[in-house]
Amino acid sequence: MPFHMLASLLWLCGGIAAYCSAASAATCVKSCGGVEIPYPFGLDPACALPGFNLTCNITGDGKPYYKDVELLNISLTQGQVRMRMHIANYCYNSTSGGMNGTGWSLNLTGTPFRLSDFGNKFTAIGCRTLAYLLADDVLTTECVATCKADDLLRLPDGVCSGIGCCQTAIPKGLQYYGVMFDSGFNTTEIHSMSRCSYAALVEASSFNFSKNYSNSSVFNDHYRGRAPLLVDWAIGNETCDVARKKSNYTCISKNSGCVDSLNGPGYRCNYSQGFHGNPYLKPEDDGSCQGEVAYNPILSAIIEKVKLK
Ligand SMILES: *[C@@H]1O[C@H](CO)[C@@H](O)[C@H](O)[C@H]1NC(C)=O
Ligand SMILES: *[C@@H]1O[C@H](CO)[C@@H](O)[C@H](O)[C@H]1NC(C)=O
Ligand SMILES: *[C@@H]1O[C@H](CO)[C@@H](O)[C@H](O)[C@H]1NC(C)=O
Ligand SMILES: *[C@@H]1O[C@H](CO)[C@@H](O)[C@H](O)[C@H]1NC(C)=O
Ligand SMILES: *[C@@H]1O[C@H](CO)[C@@H](O)[C@H](O)[C@H]1NC(C)=O
Ligand SMILES: *[C@@H]1O[C@H](CO)[C@@H](O)[C@H](O)[C@H]1NC(C)=O
Ligand SMILES: *[C@@H]1O[C@H](CO)[C@@H](O)[C@H](O)[C@H]1NC(C)=O
Ligand SMILES: *[C@@H]1O[C@H](CO)[C@@H](O)[C@H](O)[C@H]1NC(C)=O
Ligand SMILES: *[C@@H]1O[C@H](CO)[C@@H](O)[C@H](O)[C@H]1NC(C)=O
Ligand SMILES: *[C@@H]1O[C@H](CO)[C@@H](O)[C@H](O)[C@H]1NC(C)=O
Ligand SMILES: *[C@@H]1O[C@H](CO)[C@@H](O)[C@H](O)[C@H]1NC(C)=O
Ligand SMILES: *[C@@H]1O[C@H](CO)[C@@H](O)[C@H](O)[C@H]1NC(C)=O
């Protein structure tokens, strides 16, 4: 980092906080592609708790990635991240007269991440569609969507009812899922009305059914092929009571509390009321640069510029 950039960092920190841990601010980049990356997450293994290191795709789209999955958002208070996962499709191919499709899977086994059972719905779109959600390669959830030509005129927007659209809940604690279609339900005979079926695990609050989804690619296009997915994360595999006695306990801010994960083993740190710092950081690293850097748009812009050079 050029000297004048470091000077700007110090100046900005000085203007915001009473005391400032310049070293941590200067060495750990806290933002990527407009997404804040607060500890325990980091863009370098040295800046992250094990399992929480991400990469910033500087040579590509400039977005943060966990392995090959894009991250949209990180929430410390909710203990959640939003990922963008591919939408599976199964389409009639007018050239071959057969069906072609792409299924997808996500394997988070052995990581701190679990699919949120509250936040996501397995969602399928189509007029002759049977989609499966596989957990650990076992069929666990299925979703059937059918419709007829005159349904397309009558369907209300905003209601996913099994006509042109279906949604089902997923089990708790999942770390793996795959999406596939039943070939017995295909659009060969109805392709002039509805050529493709789509299915994905989707953040429920981001989804709003439109009747034009069921006979077009509007659903897929709306999410540009990859829909948001809510993922819970937790520290380790112990409860707060057990972890508190260990030397690697991570709720080390003096304003920090601990809550057991509700979706599988592990715990999260939370803020005590009225505190807005980072409960995962020591007092000398927090309330100063670490916290402010993460939420300072001017500084993020500077960091972005530095990265572009
Ligand atoms: C980085 O972005 C490019 C497109 O700009 C994309 O092709 C590539 O897959 C991305 N990297 C990762 C790790 O996904
Ligand atoms: C995190 O860092 C470790 C050690 O450098 C590396 O092996 C691992 O692949 C990284 N994880 C991710 C998701 O980038
Ligand atoms: C991340 O989530 C917060 C709170 O839900 C929201 O205000 C913010 O706009 C989100 N940022 C992105 C990049 O999605
Ligand atoms: C459609 O079928 C043709 C002939 O088999 C094939 O070349 C083409 O890649 C297929 N299209 C898609 C989208 O799979
Ligand atoms: C499309 O499906 C046909 C028939 O199953 C298959 O031969 C072809 O390889 C598929 N094309 C693609 C691009 O997957
Ligand atoms: C998921 O990944 C774990 C660890 O990498 C591996 O043991 C397991 O077989 C994978 N599961 C599936 C269904 O691919
Ligand atoms: C869903 O979209 C319809 C219009 O297409 C709108 O009236 C409705 O308020 C939306 N619902 C939500 C929850 O966003
Ligand atoms: C499509 O479904 C029909 C009726 O179930 C079946 O006879 C046909 O083999 C299926 N086509 C493909 C490509 O699986
Ligand atoms: C699909 O329907 C929604 C809501 O009714 C509308 O906002 C959108 O413009 C439509 N998209 C297309 C491509 O027709
Ligand atoms: C979908 O169905 C509606 C109602 O019949 C029709 O107005 C619209 O043009 C159809 N869209 C496509 C892409 O065929
Ligand atoms: C902390 O250390 C214990 C062993 O003392 C280990 O079992 C646990 O997984 C560690 N927790 C974390 C979060 O690394
Ligand atoms: C907890 O995690 C530690 C290290 O991460 C591992 O050695 C241990 O087997 C795990 N315990 C359980 C019950 O999964």
Side-chain angles (χ1 to χ4, degrees):
M1 189 180 286
F3 173 74
H4 67 279
M5 296 313 309
L6 195 56
S8 309
L9 285 173
L10 291 170
W11 177 78
L12 279 166
C13 290
I16 292 159
Y19 56 99
C20 186
S21 173
S24 55
T27 52
C28 290
V29 178
K30 304 301 270 177
S31 151
C32 168
V35 179
E36 315 303 343
I37 315 287
Y39 190 82
F41 293 86
L43 294 169
D44 184 303
C47 293
L49 213 58
F52 290 91
N53 52 314
L54 312 172
T55 50
C56 196
N57 192 351
I58 297 167
T59 54
D61 57 10
K63 301 289 185 187
Y65 278 80
Y66 181 75
K67 296 180 178 161
D68 56 354
V69 184
E70 184 186 334
L71 252 74
L72 292 170
N73 216 326
I74 298 172
S75 166
L76 289 188
T77 44
Q78 308 293 316
Q80 289 181 322
V81 298
R82 293 166 74 222
M83 295 181 173
R84 262 187 90 199
M85 260 305 285
H86 296 275
I87 295 170
N89 64 57
Y90 191 47
C91 296
Y92 176 74
N93 181 334
S94 53
T95 310
S96 64
M99 297 294 297
N100 280 107
T102 315
W104 293 101
S105 65
L106 178 64
N107 190 354
L108 298 170
T109 310
T111 78
F113 301 105
R114 289 177 201 96
L115 303 166
S116 165
D117 53 322
F118 277 112
N120 300 302
K121 286 276 186 329
F122 181 46
T123 304
I125 300 290
C127 285
R128 201 168 144 69
T129 305
L130 170 52
Y132 295 111
L133 185 84
L134 291 72
D136 302 316
D137 276 351
V138 175
L139 301 184
T140 54
T141 302
E142 61 181 49
C143 214
V144 178
T146 56
C147 78
K148 296 192 282 296
D150 52 353
D151 291 333
L152 296 174
L153 297 165
R154 290 196 307 258
L155 271 180
D157 278 338
V159 183
C160 181
S161 61
I163 302 170
C165 174
C166 68
Q167 286 192 308
T168 57
I170 63 161
K172 213 179 248 308
L174 276 194
Q175 291 195 290
Y176 170 92
Y177 80 93
V179 175
M180 56 173 265
F181 295 92
D182 190 316
S183 63
F185 279 67
N186 62 64
T187 51
T188 307
E189 278 157 31
I190 59 162
H191 66 267
S192 57
M193 176 186 82
S194 174
R195 192 175 70 85
C196 289
S197 298
Y198 299 97
L201 194 55
V202 182
E203 179 184 23
S205 64
S206 91
F207 180 80
N208 188 4
F209 180 67
S210 266
K211 64 179 154 213
N212 57 14
Y213 283 3
S214 46
N215 68 336
S216 72
S217 61
V218 171
F219 168 70
N220 192 63
D221 301 344
H222 174 74
Y223 294 107
R224 288 177 293 122
R226 289 186 288 154
L229 173 70
L230 264 189
V231 179
D232 296 323
W233 52 269
I235 309 288
N237 54 13
E238 298 162 321
T239 62
C240 289
D241 283 344
V242 174
R244 220 172 255 133
K245 298 174 187 124
K246 303 273 171 76
S247 58
N248 58 4
Y249 181 56
T250 58
C251 307
I252 51 176
S253 160
K254 65 173 185 290
N255 297 298
S256 184
C258 184
V259 285
D260 290 329
S261 164
L262 294 174
N263 187 9
Y267 64 91
R268 291 189 287 114
C269 310
N270 66 0
Y271 310 86
S272 50
Q273 219 172 5
F275 177 68
H276 297 296
N278 185 324
Y280 296 89
L281 291 172
K282 285 200 224 77
E284 61 267 32
D285 290 333
D286 190 40
S288 58
C289 277
Q290 290 269 9
E292 298 295 347
V293 166
Y295 296 101
N296 187 314
I298 304 168
L299 207 46
S300 297
I302 292 169
I303 291 169
E304 290 300 326
K305 275 187 199 140
V306 170
K307 279 194 313 211
L308 287 175
K309 282 176 185 156

